[in-house]
C-alpha cells in the first residue's frame, strides 16, 4: 500500500524527516518496506531556467535551423542552435542548461551537453513542453510570460510537486489502516508516546447542503445481511473534465492514473478515508431506481474491462429497474460509468458484508482497491461521512448541485465491541509493568473509550472499525505496539523447567524418520493442505468424502487434500521440467476426509521417488529406483522404529497401477506402489513415479509399544543352508517364510530369498526360489545331524503345504 507523505501531512502536523517517520510507522506495526521519491515532473526541472532570446537568425549551414543568443540571467549570453519554427527575438523561453538531465516519453534519461550543430556551437537547448514533461505538444518551443526574469528556475514557475511515498506492507488484520487517514491515526498515537503533542485534522463536511430535490432516485436493499448499510445522493449539472493538478499529483504519487474529475474524486476519497465509492451516470439508471440484490445464477454481465462475467447466485449486484449495473463493492459495469458526456450522477457509499465480497471477488478473479477494503471490513460509521466528503469535492471541482437528500439505509446498527482489560494480565503478557496512566493514554490515542475503571482493570468500548480488536489479548497487543516493543527489557536470567517426555513422542520419532530418510538422499517437502478439487476425480472418487472450504482463496485451492500424492506430483512435475530426473521426496502432512457426519484427519508420512538410483558413472550400470527399492526404504523405516510387519496384500486402489498394503498385527501401516498412468498423464509426467503413504499415527502407536531387549552376542556360530524350491508361480515368498518359522520355531533365525528364476527348463506355471536359512543355537555348537534334521523338516513342510520340489 502506497502512502504519500505530503498527503499524510494534511491530517497530522509532523515535521520529521521521512526516514524517521518510516521508522516510527514500522515500530507501530505498519512496516515501511521502502520510500520512493515522487516528482510531478520527472527530474523536477532541475537545471531548466527562464531564458531571454536576445537575437535570432538563420543558421548559415542549415535552412531549418536558427542561431540564437539567449540571456540566462548571469550576464553572459550563450549561443543556442534551435530548430523550432516559432522561435523569435524577444521571447521568454525555457532553457535546459548544459549538464541538465531530461527524460524522454519512455522515462529514459538523457543529458544536455555542449556540442556543435552544423558547425556552430550550441550551449543548451530551448525546450518544447513535451521535452520538459509539461505537456504533449511538440509543435514548437514553449513560450513563457514576458514579465519573467531571465535566470528564474522553471521549477518555481510551474509549482513542481515533490513528495516521498511510503510503501507499507499492510497485514490483513489492519483494515483500519487502509487509508491515509488511518495511517495518520496510528501515527498520532505513536507521536504521543514520543512526547509530541499533535491532533488529527479531519476534513470538514459541515458545508454539505442539499441545493434542490430535482433528481430523486429510489433505493431498495433486498438483503440487508449482505449490505448492512447503503447510502446515496444525486448530483446534477456537473461538468466532467480532467482533474486539477493538485488532485492528479495526489493520485499519481500513489501510482493511480487520473481518469476524470468525478472518478478521480471517488479514488481520492477511497485512499483518503478508506471508504470505497462508486458514481453511476444517473441518465443510465432505468426507472430511477437502485436495487441491491442477488440475481439468478448464470446471468451475464459486462464489466468495465470489457469482459463478460457469468454471475453466481450469491453475487451481490447493484441493479436499476431493469438490469445489473455493478458487482457490489468490486467492479462497475461498462454501460453505467461516468463519461465525458455525463452531467448527473448517483453517488454510492456502502458497507458490504466482507465474506460475500471476498467470495465474489475470488470467483471472478478480481482484485480492486474497493474489494481489497471491503473484504477486510471498512468503517460502517464512516459511510455517510465519506459520501458527503466526496459530494463536496465534486461540487468544488466539477461544479453541479446536490439534487437529493442523502438516502441512508441502515436498518440494524452495528455495535462497538465491549472488552474488559485486566491490568494484571497486561503486565503478565507483556513481561513487565506498564504504568496505568500510560495504558489509559495509549487507549485514548487509539480512540478506545474507557467506560469504567476499577482497581483490577478497565471496561473498554472498541470502535467498530477495529475489526481485529475484539478480545482482551487484542487490546494488550495494541497497547504493546504503541508503547514500543523496544521498551520491553530483557530479564537478566531465564527460568525454565525441563519437561519430562517419552522418547516415543511423535515429534521425536518424526525427527528420527526424517534423519533416516535424509541420510539416504531424500529431500523434505512442505506443501499446502488445500488442493484442487479435480484431483479427487483421478482416483475414481465421487467427491462425497471431500472436505470443501467454505471461503476458498481460489477454485484451485477449494478442498482439503485426501492424499499427499498430488502435492508430491506437483513437486515432481516442477523438478522434471527443470531437468532434475533423480527425485527422492518425503513429507509429513495431514489428510482430511468426511466419514459420514464426522471428519477424519490423519497424519501421513509420504515418500515419492523417480529416476535412476545412482548418479551416472562410467563404473556403474544404470539402475532405476523401482518398486523393490521403495519397499526396502519403507521396511527400513519400520525396522528403525521397531515396527514389525506381519502381513501384506495387493493394493487395489486407483492411486497405483500396482501396489502393496502392509499390516502390523492387523493394523494398516503403509501402502505403496507405482503411480497410475492416469495420474502421470494429468501432470504430463512420462517416467515411472513410485509413491508410499505411511500411517504415521498408527506407526507412533506401534513404536511406543515396542520393548527394547538387550542380549549378549552369541558365542556359537550360525549355520546357513540353502534350498532351490520349485513351486507354483502364484506362491509368495511370505508363505515360504511363514511355513519355515512355523516348522522350526527355536533354532531358525532368518529366511532370505536370494534368487528367483522363471523360464527355460521349468514346467509351465512354475518358478524357482533360491532360499537361504540361517540356523543357530545360542547355547552350543550345532551338529550336522541336528542341522540335517531341521532341513528335512523344512523340506517335508514345503512338500506338504506348497507341493514344492527340490531342484
Amino acid at each position: 500500500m502506497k502512502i504519500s507523505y505530503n498527503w499524510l501531512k494534511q491530517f497530522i502536523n509532523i515535521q520529521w524527516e521521512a526516514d524517521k517517520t518510516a521508522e516510527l510507522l514500522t515500530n507501530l506495526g505498519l512496516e515501511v518496506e521502502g520510500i520512493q521519491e515522487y516528482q510531478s515532473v520527472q527530474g523536477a526541472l532541475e537545471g531548466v531556467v527562464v531564458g531571454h532570446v536576445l537575437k535570432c537568425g538563420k543558421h548559415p549551414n542549415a535552412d531549418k535551423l536558427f542561431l540564437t543568443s539567449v540571456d540566462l540571467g548571469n550576464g553572459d549570453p550563450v549561443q543556442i542552435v534551435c530548430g523550432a519554427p516559432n522561435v523569435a527575438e524577444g521571447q521568454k523561453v525555457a532553457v535546459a542548461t548544459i549538464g541538465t538531465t531530461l527524460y524522454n516519453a519512455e522515462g529514459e534519461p538523457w543529458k544536455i551537453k555542449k556540442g556543435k550543430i552544423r558547425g556552430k556551437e550550441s550551449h543548451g537547448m530551448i525546450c518544447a513542453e513535451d521535452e520538459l514533461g509539461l505537456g504533449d505538444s511538440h509543435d514548437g518551443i514553449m513560450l513563457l510570460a514576458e514579465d519573467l526574469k531571465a535566470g528564474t528556475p522553471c521549477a518555481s514557475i510551474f509549482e513542481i510537486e515533490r513528495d516521498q511515498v511510503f510503501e507499507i506492507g499492510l497485514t490483513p488484520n489492519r483494515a483500519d489502516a487502509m487509508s491515509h487517514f488511518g495511517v495518520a491515526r496510528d501515527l498520532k498515537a505513536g507521536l504521543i508516546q514520543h512526547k509530541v503533542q499533535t491532533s488529527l485534522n479531519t476534513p470538514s463536511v459541515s458545508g454539505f447542503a442539499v441545493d434542490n430535490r430535482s433528481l430523486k432516485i429510489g433505493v431498495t436493499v433486498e438483503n440487508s445481511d449482505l449490505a448492512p448499510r447503503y447510502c446515496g445522493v444525486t448530483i446534477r449539472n456537473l461538468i466532467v473534465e480532467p482533474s486539477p493538478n493538485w488532485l492528479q499529483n495526489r493520485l499519481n504519487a500513489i501510482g493511480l492514473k487520473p481518469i476524470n474529475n468525478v472518478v478521480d474524486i471517488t479514488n481520492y476519497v477511497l485512499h483518503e478515508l478508506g471508504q470505497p465509492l462508486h458514481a453511476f451516470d444517473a441518465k443510465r439508471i432505468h426507472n430511477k431506481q437502485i436495487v441491491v440484490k442477488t440475481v439468478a445464477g448464470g446471468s451475464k454481465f459486462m464489466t468495465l474491462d470489457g469482459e463478460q462475467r457469468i454471475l453466481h447466485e450469491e453475487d451481490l449486484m447493484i441493479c436499476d429497474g431493469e438490469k445489473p449495473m455493478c458487482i457490489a463493492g468490486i467492479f462497475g459495469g461498462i454501460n453505467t460509468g461516468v463519461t465525458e458526456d455525463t452531467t448527473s450522477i448517483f453517488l454510492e457509499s456502502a458497507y458490504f458484508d466482507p465474506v460475500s465480497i471476498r467470495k465474489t471477488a475470488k470467483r471472478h478473479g478480481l482484485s480492486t482497491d474497493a474489494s481489497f477494503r471491503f473484504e477486510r471490513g471498512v468503517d460502517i460509521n464512516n459511510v455517510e461521512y465519506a459520501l458527503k466528503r466526496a459530494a463536496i469535492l465534486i461540487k468544488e471541482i466539477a461544479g453541479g448541485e446536490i439534487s437529493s437528500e442523502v438516502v441512508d439505509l441502515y436498518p440494524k446498527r452495528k455495535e462497538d465491541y465491549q472488552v474488559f482489560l485486566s491490568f494484571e494480565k497486561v503486565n503478565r503478557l507483556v513481561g513487565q509493568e506498564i504504568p496505568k496512566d500510560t495504558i489509559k493514554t495509549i487507549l485514548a490515542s487509539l480512540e478506545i473509550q474507557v467506560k469504567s475503571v476499577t482497581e483490577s482493570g478497565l471496561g473498554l468500548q472498541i470502535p467498530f472499525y477495529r475489526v481485529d480488536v475484539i478480545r482482551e489479548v487484542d487490546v494488550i497487543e495494541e497497547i504493546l505496539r504503541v508503547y514500543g516493543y523496544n521498551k520491553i527489557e530483557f530479564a537478566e536470567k531465564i527460568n525454565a523447567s525441563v519437561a519430562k517426555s517419552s522418547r516415543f513422542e511423535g515429534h521425536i520419532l518424526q525427527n528420527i524418520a526424517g534423519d533416516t530418510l535424509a541420510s539416504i538422499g531424500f529431500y523434505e517437502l512442505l506443501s499446502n493442505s488445500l488442493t484442487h478439487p479435480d484431483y479427487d476425480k483421478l482416483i475414481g472418487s465421487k467427491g462425497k468424502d471431500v472436505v470443501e472450504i467454505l471461503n476458498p482463496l481460489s477454485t484451485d485451492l477449494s478442498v482439503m487434500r485426501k492424499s499427499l500424492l498430488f502435492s508430491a506430483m506437483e513437486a515432481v512435475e516442477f523438478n522434471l521440467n527443470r531437468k532434475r530426473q533423480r527425485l527422492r521426496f518425503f513429507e509429513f502432512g495431514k489428510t482430511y476426509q468426511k466419514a459420514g457426519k464426522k471428519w477424519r484427519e490423519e497424519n501421513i508420512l509420504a515418500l515419492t521417488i523417480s529416476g535412476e538410483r545412482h548418479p551416472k558413472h562410467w563404473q556403474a550400470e544404470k539402475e532405476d529406483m523401482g518398486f523393490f527399492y521403495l519397499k526396502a526404504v519403507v521396511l527400513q523405516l519400520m525396522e528403525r522404529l521397531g515396527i514389525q510387519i506381519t502381513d501384506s496384500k495387493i493394493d487395489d486402489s486407483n492411486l497405483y497401477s500396482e501396489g502393496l498394503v502392509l499390516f502390523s498385527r492387523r493394523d494398516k501401516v503403509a501402502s505403496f506402489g507405482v503411480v497410475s498412468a492416469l495420474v502421470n498423464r494429468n501432470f504430463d509426467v512420462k517416467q515411472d513415479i513410485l509413491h508410499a503413504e505411511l500411517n504415521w499415527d498408527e506407526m507412533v502407536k506401534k513404536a511406543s509399544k515396542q520393548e527394547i531387549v538387550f542380549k549378549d552376542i552369541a558365542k556359537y556360530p550360525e549355520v546357513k543352508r540353502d534350498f532351490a524350491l520349485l513351486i507354483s508361480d502364484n506362491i509368495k515368498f511370505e508363505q515360504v517364510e511363514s511355513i519355515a518359522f512355523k516348522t522350526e520355531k527355536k533354532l531358525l533365525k532368518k529366511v532370505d530369498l536370494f534368487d528367483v528364476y522363471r523360464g527355460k527348463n521349468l514346467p509351465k506355471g512354475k518358478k524357482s526360489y533360491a532360499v537361504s536359512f540361517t540356523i543357530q543355537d545360542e547355547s552350543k555348537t550345532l551338529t550336522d545331524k541336528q542341522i540335517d534334521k531341521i532341513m528335512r523338516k523344512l523340506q517335508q513342510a514345503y512338500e506338504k503345504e506348497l507341493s514344492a520340489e527340490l531342484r
Side-chain angles (χ1 to χ4, degrees):
M1 181 181 72
K2 295 182 184 294
I3 294 293
S4 156
Y5 200 19
N6 287 349
W7 199 343
L8 201 61
K9 289 176 180 178
Q10 291 179 201
F11 297 104
I12 190 167
N13 184 21
I14 182 172
Q15 304 302 322
W16 286 7
E17 293 293 325
D19 288 340
K20 188 176 180 181
T21 301
E23 182 180 357
L24 177 56
L25 288 172
T26 298
N27 290 337
L28 288 166
L30 302 177
E31 182 181 2
V32 177
E33 298 173 341
I35 304 175
Q36 297 176 344
E37 297 291 330
Y38 168 77
Q39 298 164 337
S40 57
V41 174
Q42 196 168 8
L45 300 184
E46 290 182 5
V48 181
V49 299
V50 175
H52 182 201
V53 181
L54 302 177
K55 297 178 182 177
C56 179
K58 284 284 188 181
H59 192 294
N61 302 321
D63 293 338
K64 295 183 178 181
L65 297 179
F66 296 90
L67 205 60
T68 66
S69 177
V70 182
D71 178 14
L72 299 181
N74 55 8
D76 188 12
V78 297
Q79 179 173 281
I80 298 177
V81 176
C82 180
N86 64 332
V87 65
E89 184 178 312
Q91 294 173 335
K92 295 291 176 67
V93 294
V95 178
T97 58
I98 292 173
T100 298
T101 299
L102 298 179
Y103 297 83
N104 62 20
E106 288 74 36
E108 297 172 349
W110 56 288
K111 186 173 285 190
I112 301 297
K113 298 178 181 178
K114 176 184 175 182
K116 281 188 177 182
I117 301 177
R118 294 291 183 96
K120 295 295 181 179
E121 289 188 354
S122 183
H123 298 262
M125 185 174 82
I126 304 175
C127 300
E129 65 177 39
D130 67 328
E131 293 166 331
L132 297 175
L134 295 171
D136 299 322
S137 174
H138 194 71
D139 295 337
I141 58 172
M142 174 182 277
L143 301 180
L144 305 180
E146 294 183 1
D147 59 348
L148 292 175
K149 186 178 179 182
T152 303
C154 285
S156 64
I157 301 171
F158 295 101
E159 298 180 353
I160 303 302
E161 171 96 359
R162 295 172 179 265
D163 199 355
Q164 290 166 301
V165 180
F166 302 120
E167 183 68 44
I168 294 180
L170 192 67
T171 53
N173 63 309
R174 292 304 307 277
D176 63 296
M178 296 186 296
S179 65
H180 286 75
F181 183 74
V183 173
R185 188 165 47 201
D186 246 29
L187 188 57
K188 181 199 74 171
L191 288 172
I192 290 174
Q193 281 302 298
H194 282 72
K195 310 302 181 185
V196 179
Q197 293 303 316
T198 187
S199 60
L200 283 177
N201 303 317
T202 308
S204 173
V205 294
S206 60
F208 179 87
V210 177
D211 297 306
N212 56 63
R213 294 168 180 79
S214 57
L215 181 57
K216 181 180 178 181
I217 293 180
V219 178
T220 303
V221 176
E222 292 190 358
N223 190 336
S224 60
D225 290 334
L226 299 182
R229 189 174 189 183
Y230 191 91
C231 291
V233 71
T234 62
I235 303 174
R236 292 186 63 191
N237 299 327
L238 51 79
I239 299 173
V240 177
E241 58 187 2
S243 299
N245 286 337
W246 71 265
L247 179 52
Q248 293 196 37
N249 287 337
R250 286 286 181 263
L251 298 180
N252 280 322
I254 59 173
L256 292 182
K257 182 181 179 181
I259 298 173
N260 59 55
N261 49 10
V262 174
V263 174
D264 291 349
I265 288 168
T266 62
N267 286 330
Y268 178 84
V269 173
L270 181 148
H271 289 275
E272 179 186 53
L273 301 176
Q275 174 61 47
L277 305 167
H278 191 76
F280 298 93
D281 189 328
K283 290 182 179 179
R284 301 185 181 187
I285 300 176
H286 290 276
N287 300 333
K288 295 293 182 284
Q289 184 69 30
I290 295 285
V291 183
V292 183
K293 64 178 182 178
T294 56
V295 297
S299 301
K300 296 179 180 180
F301 178 69
M302 185 79 74
T303 46
L304 274 171
D305 56 359
E307 185 170 339
Q308 186 164 275
R309 314 275 175 179
I310 306 300
L311 301 179
H312 188 273
E313 59 186 10
E314 294 181 358
D315 293 341
L316 187 66
M317 305 295 295
I318 310 300
C319 306
D320 61 15
E322 295 182 357
K323 63 186 184 308
M325 300 189 298
C326 173
I327 302 177
I330 301 174
F331 212 18
I334 198 166
N335 296 318
T336 55
V338 174
T339 67
E340 294 178 355
D341 299 326
T342 300
T343 58
S344 58
I345 62 170
F346 175 81
L347 187 62
E348 166 198 275
S349 179
Y351 176 94
F352 298 116
D353 176 63
V355 174
S356 171
I357 296 297
R358 186 168 178 272
K359 284 183 176 181
T360 298
K362 296 301 179 184
R363 268 194 293 267
H364 295 288
L366 293 170
S367 180
T368 62
D369 284 339
S371 68
F372 178 83
R373 285 157 178 80
F374 280 128
E375 287 174 13
R376 288 156 177 78
V378 299
D379 183 3
I380 198 168
N381 297 314
N382 212 27
V383 170
E384 184 182 15
Y385 169 72
L387 180 74
K388 291 181 176 179
R389 166 70 170 154
I392 290 172
L393 286 173
I394 289 172
K395 279 190 66 175
E396 291 177 356
I397 295 171
E401 52 199 33
I402 296 174
S403 51
S404 74
E405 297 284 353
V406 171
V407 176
D408 185 4
L409 302 182
Y410 191 11
K412 188 177 180 181
R413 295 198 170 270
K414 300 287 186 180
E415 300 295 333
D416 290 341
Y417 305 109
Q418 306 294 324
V419 173
F420 181 79
L421 178 68
S422 165
F423 292 130
E424 185 274 331
K425 190 167 185 178
V426 172
N427 297 332
R428 179 163 54 84
L429 290 185
V430 170
Q432 73 182 47
E433 184 174 349
I434 298 178
K436 294 179 181 179
D437 288 342
T438 301
I439 291 175
K440 293 176 183 177
T441 301
I442 292 173
L443 293 173
S445 68
L446 292 171
E447 299 182 359
I448 296 176
Q449 297 181 39
V450 177
K451 289 297 187 179
S452 62
V453 181
T454 66
E455 284 295 320
S456 60
L458 304 172
L460 305 176
Q461 181 171 310
I462 316 295
F464 181 79
Y465 66 79
R466 288 311 308 268
V467 295
D468 62 323
V469 184
I470 57 177
R471 303 169 300 169
E472 184 181 17
V473 290
D474 299 330
V475 177
I476 295 172
E477 182 184 3
E478 290 297 293
I479 293 169
L480 183 55
R481 72 177 180 85
V482 175
Y483 180 74
Y485 290 101
N486 295 333
K487 292 183 182 179
I488 305 302
E489 299 174 357
F490 287 97
E492 293 181 0
K493 63 177 182 178
I494 298 176
N495 297 324
S497 58
V498 179
K500 181 181 178 181
S501 62
S502 166
R503 53 196 174 84
F504 297 112
E505 292 284 343
H507 68 279
I508 296 175
L509 295 178
Q510 186 170 317
N511 285 337
I512 292 172
D515 290 344
T516 301
L517 291 166
S519 70
I520 56 175
F522 278 74
Y523 288 86
E524 185 170 9
L525 295 178
L526 292 172
S527 60
N528 201 334
S529 295
L530 303 177
T531 190
H532 200 291
D534 288 348
Y535 288 161
D536 196 47
K537 299 175 184 176
L538 296 176
I539 56 177
S541 175
K542 296 182 180 179
K544 292 182 179 180
D545 56 350
V546 172
V547 179
E548 297 180 344
I549 303 300
L550 294 177
N551 194 17
L553 293 169
S554 69
T555 53
D556 289 343
L557 299 171
S558 60
V559 300
M560 304 292 282
R561 64 186 176 193
K562 289 171 55 179
S563 169
L564 272 64
L565 169 63
F566 300 107
S567 55
M569 289 299 294
E570 289 172 353
V572 167
E573 180 186 24
F574 181 88
N575 280 270
L576 290 179
N577 288 340
R578 285 152 184 80
K579 307 302 180 184
R580 297 181 63 89
Q581 306 292 331
R582 297 177 58 246
L583 305 175
R584 293 181 178 95
F585 297 139
F586 75 94
E587 179 176 10
F588 289 96
K590 291 185 176 183
T591 59
Y592 310 84
Q593 281 182 272
K594 285 181 185 177
K597 294 184 178 180
K598 296 183 179 180
W599 311 93
R600 189 169 76 231
E601 183 176 325
E602 293 179 338
N603 287 293
I604 299 294
L605 167 57
L607 311 177
T608 307
I609 62 171
S610 184
E612 295 182 22
R613 185 170 178 178
H614 304 291
K616 290 182 179 178
H617 192 272
W618 65 275
Q619 284 184 317
E621 293 184 5
K622 178 181 176 181
E623 180 186 1
D624 287 337
M625 289 182 284
F627 181 89
F628 291 103
Y629 174 77
L630 181 59
K631 180 181 179 182
V633 173
V634 171
L635 294 178
Q636 181 181 351
L637 276 176
M638 297 296 177
E639 184 178 355
R640 178 67 182 85
L641 298 177
I643 300 170
Q644 185 179 1
I645 300 301
T646 58
D647 195 10
S648 65
K649 71 171 187 177
I650 301 298
D651 189 315
D652 56 1
S653 70
N654 292 324
L655 281 178
Y656 308 120
S657 58
E658 51 182 294
L660 199 63
V661 181
L662 301 181
F663 296 87
S664 176
R665 295 186 179 88
R666 299 183 181 179
D667 296 315
K668 178 181 173 181
V669 290
S671 65
F672 60 93
V674 181
V675 175
S676 72
L678 178 62
V679 174
N680 276 4
R681 283 196 300 272
N682 185 75
F683 291 93
D684 196 25
V685 172
K686 295 178 174 59
Q687 66 188 52
D688 283 347
I689 310 296
L690 293 104
H691 182 76
E693 294 202 352
L694 285 63
N695 188 325
W696 187 249
D697 292 326
E698 198 63 45
M699 289 174 66
V700 171
K701 285 183 195 175
K702 299 289 183 185
S704 63
K705 293 177 181 178
Q706 298 299 320
E707 292 185 6
I708 297 177
V709 179
F710 296 92
K711 60 180 181 179
D712 293 333
I713 297 175
K715 297 178 181 180
Y716 302 97
E718 61 183 27
V719 177
K720 289 193 175 183
R721 292 287 188 272
D722 300 337
F723 273 166
L725 296 173
L726 184 64
I727 56 178
S728 297
D729 202 33
N730 61 352
I731 294 173
K732 296 186 291 184
F733 170 69
E734 65 181 0
Q735 293 173 264
V736 175
E737 184 181 42
S738 175
I739 291 170
F741 281 112
K742 187 170 64 174
T743 303
E744 178 52 57
K745 298 179 180 179
K746 183 178 179 182
L747 300 180
L748 184 62
K749 303 299 181 184
K750 192 176 181 183
V751 181
D752 290 314
L753 176 66
F754 63 89
D755 187 41
V756 179
Y757 176 72
R758 294 180 180 88
K760 191 176 180 181
N761 298 327
L762 291 184
K764 186 177 180 182
K766 297 287 187 177
K767 63 183 175 182
S768 175
Y769 267 6
V771 184
S772 172
F773 302 91
T774 302
I775 307 168
Q776 185 181 40
D777 189 337
E778 297 177 2
S779 62
K780 61 183 178 181
T781 301
L782 289 168
T783 65
D784 287 340
K785 187 176 181 181
Q786 288 175 300
I787 296 168
D788 292 340
K789 183 179 179 181
I790 292 170
M791 297 307 293
R792 280 196 300 273
K793 285 168 58 180
L794 290 173
Q795 180 182 347
Q796 292 168 2
Y798 288 138
E799 290 173 348
K800 180 181 179 181
E801 298 193 32
L802 301 180
S803 300
E805 300 176 27
L806 290 184
R807 292 187 66 203

